[in-house]
Amino acid sequence: TSCFLLEHGMAFGRNNVKPCTCLQGYNLCWVKEYHGEPFDADAYLKLRQKYVDLLKKGIIPETCVGCANLEEKEWSDEASVEFIVVGNETKCSCDCFYCWFAEDKEYFNNFKSYNIMPILNSLKEKNLLKNLTIDVVGGECTEYKKGELEEIVNFILNGDNYFIHFFSSGMFYSDLIAEVMKNSKANIVVSVDSGTRETYEKIKRVKAFDKVWENMAKYSQIAVIDELCQKGFVILKYIIIPGINDNIEEFRAFAQRAKECGCKWIRISVVYQWWLENSSKPMPQNLFALLDFIETFRNDFKIEYVEDSVYLWRKRMIEDKSYKGQNPCENKAGC
């Protein structure tokens, strides 16, 4: 038994360093309390070996039992970190109602986190970073304190086979992000979740609808042309929120906006809290109709399903006996 995240992953939280971002493994940490102290790469390697030995024996850590990321394969004998989630920062001018930062904006917008660079440099010195992808997800990356994002970007630009995903509200255009995209070393992921101003402002609770789409068009203009959408692309995320944007009209408007600004990649998810409360119930039929409508845009966009939308497709295959099509997520964990 193995797990890609345990084997090759690392996540920087507000005050900890973890091997994964799964809620199921929330208490699984490389460092339980971290506030900028020297990072001991040797201690990390020792703890990783502990998990290697356990899983090779078929012993699964209690917090990982039942996790969809577990798989039957041999562990690599060579230690490496290939995937890092940067979530230590929390400041964000957006106010998405589904984001837990929105529960206490004053606290999170003023939270002072640690510098991740000493950890990255320590891992690099040990030659542990291989084919590295960094996801910058915490807070709003364009609002990092001066010099912080530049350090991360320079680290990526100076590394062999290093790549970065910027997760952003899209409210503020960044020449720095654009430059990394031009170098085929980055994608930017923006959850717009809407195609109309009314729905956008209901979800985001800020008045930035036109500005976000304007910025998406600017990023798209400098994106690297790549038929597989693998380099330097804008990825527009549409988080399905039942009762708010789970209708064909809203997605049609979203897709039209995406076409107009030149975006080629759409990522579909389902809002986590709703899924947590309703996943054990029969799914509303309009969600299945929305999935069918989304699939009609495959000639216009690269469409991928992530997070709970993968499980929504699994529910569809179980519950919708009239559906005769294929499951586009059938090769993903959980399906």
Side-chain angles (χ1 to χ4, degrees):
T1 303
S2 183
C3 168
F4 176 79
L5 295 176
L6 271 175
E7 188 172 359
H8 300 295
M10 187 169 285
F12 303 145
R14 282 181 301 139
N15 55 7
N16 57 35
V17 183
K18 298 163 52 180
C20 74
T21 54
C22 299
L23 290 177
Q24 191 162 346
Y26 187 77
N27 292 317
L28 201 61
C29 296
W30 297 132
V31 184
K32 288 188 177 181
E33 287 292 332
Y34 185 77
H35 304 282
E37 301 84 359
F39 182 78
D40 190 339
D42 289 322
Y44 154 74
L45 288 170
K46 184 176 180 181
L47 186 57
R48 179 189 181 277
Q49 190 60 47
K50 172 185 173 182
Y51 290 124
V52 171
D53 294 340
L54 283 173
L55 289 169
K56 279 186 174 180
K57 295 176 183 177
I59 301 172
I60 299 173
E62 185 178 349
T63 56
C64 303
V65 174
C67 180
N69 289 302
L70 294 174
E71 56 183 328
E72 291 298 324
K73 74 178 187 66
E74 291 296 323
W75 275 71
S76 170
D77 291 330
E78 182 182 10
S80 66
V81 177
E82 300 180 13
F83 179 73
I84 295 177
V85 175
V86 178
N88 60 315
E89 296 290 352
T90 56
K91 182 180 180 181
C92 182
S93 292
C94 205
D95 193 27
C96 306
F97 83 88
Y98 54 69
C99 177
W100 57 278
F101 290 169
E103 296 172 5
D104 192 342
K105 290 296 289 184
E106 183 177 358
Y107 170 78
F108 288 114
N109 277 351
N110 290 285
F111 181 80
K112 306 298 182 185
S113 188
Y114 56 88
N115 184 359
I116 70 169
M117 294 310 301
I119 303 179
L120 293 179
N121 289 326
S122 176
L123 295 171
K124 188 172 184 178
E125 288 170 6
K126 287 285 185 181
N127 197 32
L128 290 170
L129 301 180
K130 310 286 177 63
N131 300 314
L132 177 67
T133 297
I134 293 181
D135 281 6
V136 179
V137 304
E140 170 52 47
C141 57
T142 60
E143 296 184 66
Y144 278 13
K145 51 184 174 285
K146 187 176 180 179
E148 186 175 350
L149 190 61
E150 286 83 351
E151 282 190 307
I152 299 173
V153 164
N154 288 332
F155 186 85
I156 291 294
L157 291 176
N158 292 324
D160 294 330
N161 297 317
Y162 289 4
F163 195 83
I164 188 167
H165 298 284
F166 296 102
F167 286 73
S168 172
S169 68
M171 290 173 60
F172 308 108
Y173 183 81
S174 168
D175 289 323
L176 181 64
I177 290 176
E179 187 61 31
V180 195
M181 292 174 68
K182 285 181 184 178
N183 281 277
S184 301
K185 300 274 277 188
N187 286 333
I188 186 169
V189 183
V190 178
S191 288
V192 186
D193 308 331
S194 55
T196 63
R197 187 187 317 278
E198 179 184 9
T199 302
Y200 177 88
E201 293 181 358
K202 186 181 294 185
I203 296 170
K204 303 296 181 177
R205 301 189 293 198
V206 292
K207 295 184 181 298
F209 182 74
D210 291 331
K211 192 63 178 177
V212 168
W213 284 110
E214 177 186 320
N215 289 339
M216 296 306 97
K218 289 175 68 176
Y219 282 127
S220 293
Q221 288 172 6
I222 57 90
V224 176
I225 302 302
D226 179 350
E227 291 182 357
L228 298 177
C229 299
Q230 295 298 306
K231 298 177 180 179
F233 261 76
V234 176
I235 303 173
L236 292 180
K237 194 171 180 182
Y238 192 93
I239 301 177
I240 298 171
I241 309 167
I244 297 181
N245 68 353
D246 59 333
N247 59 81
I248 287 173
E249 292 72 22
E250 192 67 40
F251 190 86
R252 179 185 285 114
F254 169 81
Q256 183 60 38
R257 288 271 184 175
K259 286 182 184 179
E260 290 171 357
C261 71
C263 295
K264 303 292 186 182
W265 190 340
I266 289 176
R267 184 174 288 177
I268 307 297
S269 184
V270 179
V271 68
Y272 175 74
Q273 189 59 37
W274 182 90
W275 184 261
L276 183 66
E277 296 170 359
N278 294 276
S279 60
S280 61
K281 306 173 186 176
M283 289 292 104
Q285 292 298 302
N286 71 298
L287 293 186
F288 296 157
L290 180 57
L291 291 179
D292 283 341
F293 187 67
I294 291 171
E295 284 293 295
T296 65
F297 288 92
R298 283 205 175 270
N299 289 333
D300 301 298
F301 306 103
K302 171 178 179 173
I303 295 175
E304 66 174 350
Y305 298 89
V306 299
E307 300 154 357
D308 293 326
S309 67
V310 175
Y311 303 110
L312 177 60
W313 267 104
R314 182 177 66 175
K315 291 277 285 184
R316 201 247 174 102
M317 303 308 290
I318 295 172
E319 295 179 7
D320 188 358
K321 303 302 182 184
S322 65
Y323 180 67
K324 304 301 181 184
Q326 286 189 311
N327 178 357
C329 306
E330 62 185 349
N331 293 322
K332 292 190 174 184
C335 277

